[in-house]
Amino acid sequence: GEDVEQSLFLSVREGDSSVINCTYTDSSSTYLYWYKQEPGAGLQLLTYIFSNMDMKQDQRLTVLLNKKDKHLSLRIADTQTGDSAIYFCAERELTGGGNKLTFGTGTQLKVEL
Amino acid sequence: NAGVTQTPKFRILKIGQSMTLQCTQDMNHNYMYWYRQDPGMGLKLIYYSVGAGITDKGEVPNGYNVSRSTTEDFPLRLELAAPSQTSVYFCATRTGGNTGELFFGEGSRLTVL
């Protein structure tokens, strides 16, 4: 089955760039997602990338995908205190109906002044 | 539109008690999911449904049951609650589109003592 791994914590200074990393194991065509969870709330989709793409940029967010190494990263430029949250990587396998997403453990991002 | 509504938000149960977590959506999405979130463990899929009348097990279904009699409602039942079921439970929905974005409720925090 799929396994998605992330480091648990990341601390950055306000204004710096943050890079959150994720590794996944499924080798079939898939969508990969980044979700954000603020305290006491559910998860919200930040961005996603399909496995035939290498990069996707959306304002301050840049997603990089290395399919050979099964490595996904999320870069947040000019990190702000409002970016402090837990960030989850998730993988959706398209075989078998594509009905399930597998989430990573989440990376807690702390932005310091 | 309310989106995905979960009740209750908080609940304390004694070992052996039973209860139902309610999830209602007004987005007319066919797919619905129940996840549990434990610290450092990410989200684990308990059960999911691809439409009214159809449910299937996820990664961690033991100790839980679900039903899906309507498109809108997807209740999660805990029978004989155990301390291992102390967790935050999230209900989510998605459309049938390719991107597979999940829409989450705000969560239900359950403590079993």
Side-chain angles (χ1 to χ4, degrees):
Chain A
E2 305 88 0
D3 194 15
V4 181
E5 295 188 353
Q6 303 176 237
S7 54
L8 289 180
F9 298 103
L10 176 65
S11 180
V12 299
R13 290 195 181 277
E14 189 177 40
D16 287 350
S17 292
S18 308
V19 179
I20 302 171
N21 295 302
C22 169
T23 58
Y24 62 98
T25 56
D26 184 49
S27 59
S28 61
S29 295
T30 186
Y31 280 91
L32 295 148
Y33 306 84
W34 285 104
Y35 280 82
K36 178 183 180 182
Q37 184 183 32
E38 297 186 356
L43 282 68
Q44 286 191 304
L45 181 67
L46 277 180
T47 187
Y48 66 92
I49 190 168
F50 188 57
S51 55
N52 67 352
M53 298 168 65
D54 297 323
M55 185 183 87
K56 182 177 181 181
Q57 185 149 7
D58 184 0
Q59 299 182 333
R60 291 190 298 121
L61 305 178
T62 303
V63 178
L64 294 177
L65 176 60
N66 180 328
K67 284 180 290 186
K68 176 176 170 289
D69 295 337
K70 296 190 176 62
H71 183 265
L72 182 74
S73 67
L74 173 69
R75 178 177 180 268
I76 306 172
D78 186 25
T79 312
Q80 302 297 308
T81 54
D83 295 323
S84 292
I86 303 176
Y87 291 82
F88 290 91
C89 170
E91 173 184 32
R92 176 178 167 223
E93 182 186 354
L94 294 185
T95 56
N99 294 321
K100 295 185 281 187
L101 273 73
T102 300
F103 285 85
T105 53
T107 299
Q108 177 141 23
L109 174 64
K110 182 179 178 183
V111 182
E112 298 175 327
L113 296 172
Chain B
N1 287 350
V4 181
T5 303
Q6 291 182 234
T7 56
K9 288 190 170 21
F10 302 95
R11 182 75 185 266
I12 298 175
L13 279 183
K14 293 183 179 178
I15 294 172
Q17 287 185 319
S18 300
M19 75 160 298
T20 299
L21 299 177
Q22 302 291 344
C23 177
T24 299
Q25 55 115 347
D26 62 1
M27 296 184 289
N28 202 32
H29 288 174
N30 284 327
Y31 298 82
M32 296 188 75
Y33 303 80
W34 274 107
Y35 286 90
R36 59 176 287 173
Q37 182 181 22
D38 300 299
M41 301 292 289
L43 276 73
K44 300 293 184 187
L45 181 64
I46 305 171
Y47 271 95
Y48 67 102
S49 169
V50 301
I54 306 169
T55 63
D56 210 344
K57 295 178 180 178
E59 265 182 284
V60 290
N62 290 345
Y64 307 95
N65 277 300
V66 292
S67 59
R68 185 90 183 275
S69 56
T70 65
T71 299
E72 293 78 20
D73 299 305
F74 190 40
L76 177 71
R77 178 122 181 113
L78 282 73
E79 304 281 3
L80 298 174
S84 60
Q85 293 177 304
T86 294
S87 188
V88 181
Y89 292 84
F90 287 99
C91 179
T93 72
R94 75 171 178 93
T95 66
N98 281 338
T99 60
E101 178 182 0
L102 290 179
F103 296 85
F104 283 82
E106 293 187 341
S108 297
R109 183 176 293 274
L110 177 67
T111 302
V112 182
L113 300 174

